[in-house]
Amino acid sequence: LSDSGSGSDAITSLQSTVSLIESGVATDIIPAIEIPIGPPRTNLLLYSEQFDNAAWIKAGPASVTPNNTVAPDDTTTADLLEGIDVYGNYVYQATVGTNDNRYEPSFYIKKVSSSGTLVAQNPQDYGPKGKWNIDLSLIGSTWERITRNHPAVTIVYEFIGYNSASGLLLYCSVGGPVSFHVWGAQLE
């Protein structure tokens, strides 16, 4: 900005506007600006609060008790998963995905079992296409959202689309069988 008048006037006007806003006199002088941070995200999982739905495959003695407890949104829609153990006793949902795209799983969990390692994995590939280990001993007794940044999560492999698909598989690799409440699963 120059000192030729228009620049100085603009700075004075901006300083006056900021002072008015800070003092609470005017709150609608500067309109809110929304800045998109990335493309819109879509949850690829169907029935993300209904693990008893046929979209979620249950194997072995793994079972789902629907609407077993109050969910994080204060509705009685959280499900109890029991008998989750090493391969063969699990729950999963496969989805459409794009090869080599990275996906982000997340879900709410309220543990019942005090220890064990819950595994969240891409069911489309049992190799390096998506695997998180979740240490149940590091989860409290209240609802916690499991994301990549949760202290109980160790990312073994990123979730990557494979064979035009992705998904979410939950099983226990250590200390099973385990039981926990789950709600709001997402794969974006």
Side-chain angles (χ1 to χ4, degrees):
L1 297 173
S2 69
D3 288 332
S4 63
S6 63
S8 297
D9 291 342
I11 291 173
T12 303
S13 176
L14 179 59
Q15 289 171 338
S16 297
T17 301
V18 169
S19 296
L20 286 171
I21 292 171
E22 287 175 348
S23 67
V25 174
T27 58
D28 60 346
I29 293 174
I30 301 175
I33 299 172
E34 291 186 29
I35 301 172
I37 298 179
R41 304 204 47 136
T42 300
N43 186 5
L44 298 175
L45 298 175
L46 304 174
Y47 305 99
S48 63
E49 299 171 10
Q50 299 171 357
F51 283 76
D52 60 316
N53 187 283
W56 289 95
I57 307 301
K58 280 69 75 184
S63 67
V64 177
T65 305
N67 305 324
N68 183 263
T69 193
V70 176
D73 70 348
D74 291 326
T75 62
T76 306
T77 55
D79 295 343
L80 174 64
L81 274 59
E82 296 179 287
I84 305 298
D85 208 342
V86 179
Y87 304 98
N89 305 320
Y90 53 81
V91 61
Y92 81 94
Q93 184 180 142
T95 66
V96 174
T98 302
N99 287 347
D100 299 323
N101 273 10
R102 194 181 99 192
Y103 294 94
E104 282 296 315
S106 64
F107 52 92
Y108 283 92
I109 187 171
K110 184 177 178 183
K111 72 177 181 180
V112 175
S113 299
S114 59
S115 64
T117 300
L118 179 65
V119 178
Q121 184 168 321
N122 181 345
Q124 302 306 318
D125 177 46
Y126 296 99
K129 298 294 183 181
K131 182 177 180 181
W132 292 1
N133 290 336
I134 304 158
D135 185 346
L136 292 178
S137 70
L138 298 177
I139 295 175
S141 60
T142 60
W143 284 108
E144 294 189 31
R145 184 124 184 106
I146 299 299
T147 65
R148 71 173 34 257
N149 298 321
H150 193 285
V153 172
T154 300
I155 299 173
V156 180
Y157 303 113
E158 295 288 354
F159 274 71
I160 305 292
Y162 179 73
N163 287 339
S164 300
S166 192
L168 182 63
L169 164 69
L170 298 174
Y171 69 93
C172 176
S173 65
V174 176
V178 297
S179 301
F180 54 94
H181 293 98
V182 65
W183 183 86
Q186 293 184 316
L187 185 67
E188 299 179 310

